[in-house]
């Protein structure tokens, strides 16, 4: 097993959660070739900000691992410390068109951090690859 971590920033919580989802797919594939013509809604909940981030990214990762959907963009429709609801724009995976750079097995709680500061929001997330 190997771990891979990301550090994500946002001016507010919505931008942070959006950037975390996009960073996840930047690790998985070349997002430049995605069009994001298809969309679906997803929701996640959690006990607090770190738990919500983990559950959010698990839902996002499931789009790839469970449904072979590659996320191009995210529109957060509502967000609180305990729940997120978003519209996801994606492409269905086509092996002749999309390159998979890294397979991510899971989003982990190891060293999870989600915090706000006067300069904005910041998160650190570790993936099992």
């Amino acid at each position: 097993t190997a771990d891979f971590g990301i550090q994500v920033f946002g001016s507010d919580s919505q931008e942070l959660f959006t950037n975390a989802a996009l960073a996840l797919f930047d690790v998985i594939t070349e997002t430049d070739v995605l069009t994001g013509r298809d969309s679906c809604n997803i929701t996640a909940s959690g006990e607090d900000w770190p738990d919500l981030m983990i559950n959010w990214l698990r839902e996002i990762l499931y789009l790839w691992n469970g449904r072979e959907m590659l996320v191009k963009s995210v529109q957060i429709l509502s967000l609180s410390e305990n729940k997120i609801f978003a519209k996801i724009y994606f492409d269905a995976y086509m092996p002749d068109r999309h390159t998979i750079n890294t397979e991510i097995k899971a989003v982990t709680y190891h060293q999870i951090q989600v915090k706000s500061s006067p300069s904005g929001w910041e998160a650190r997330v570790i993936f099992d690859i």
Side-chain angles (χ1 to χ4, degrees), residues 7-8 10 16 29 31 41 44 51 68 74 76-77 90-91 101-102 117 121-122:
Q7 192 162 7
V8 185
L16 179 73
T29 191
T31 57
N41 292 332
D51 191 46
E68 293 192 333
V74 174
I76 294 180
L77 304 172
F90 67 92
D91 287 12
N101 298 326
T102 305
S117 70
W121 283 72
E122 180 180 346

Side-chain angles (χ1 to χ4, degrees), residues 52-121:
L52 182 62
M53 178 65 77
I54 294 294
N55 292 335
W56 162 246
L57 291 176
R58 285 179 174 171
E59 288 294 325
I60 295 290
L61 182 59
Y62 174 74
L63 295 177
W64 165 241
N65 287 340
R67 299 178 61 191
E68 293 192 333
M69 296 160 54
L70 296 169
V71 174
K72 173 66 175 180
S73 63
V74 174
Q75 178 187 11
I76 294 180
L77 304 172
S78 67
L79 175 63
S80 69
E81 186 176 359
N82 303 105
K83 192 165 190 171
I84 186 169
F85 179 64
K87 187 168 202 161
I88 306 298
Y89 296 89
F90 67 92
D91 287 12
Y93 174 62
M94 293 185 290
D96 57 329
R97 185 165 184 262
H98 303 117
T99 302
I100 303 305
N101 298 326
T102 305
E103 286 287 353
I104 296 176
K105 295 178 192 173
V107 182
T108 73
Y109 279 96
H110 182 66
Q111 297 181 2
I112 181 68
Q113 289 183 358
V114 177
K115 58 186 177 182
S116 66
S117 70
S119 61
W121 283 72

Side-chain angles (χ1 to χ4, degrees), residues 20-39:
L22 298 178
L24 173 63
F25 273 90
D26 279 342
V27 172
I28 294 171
T29 191
E30 303 295 326
T31 57
D32 296 351
V33 301
L34 301 177
T35 61
R37 288 190 188 134
D38 297 315
S39 66

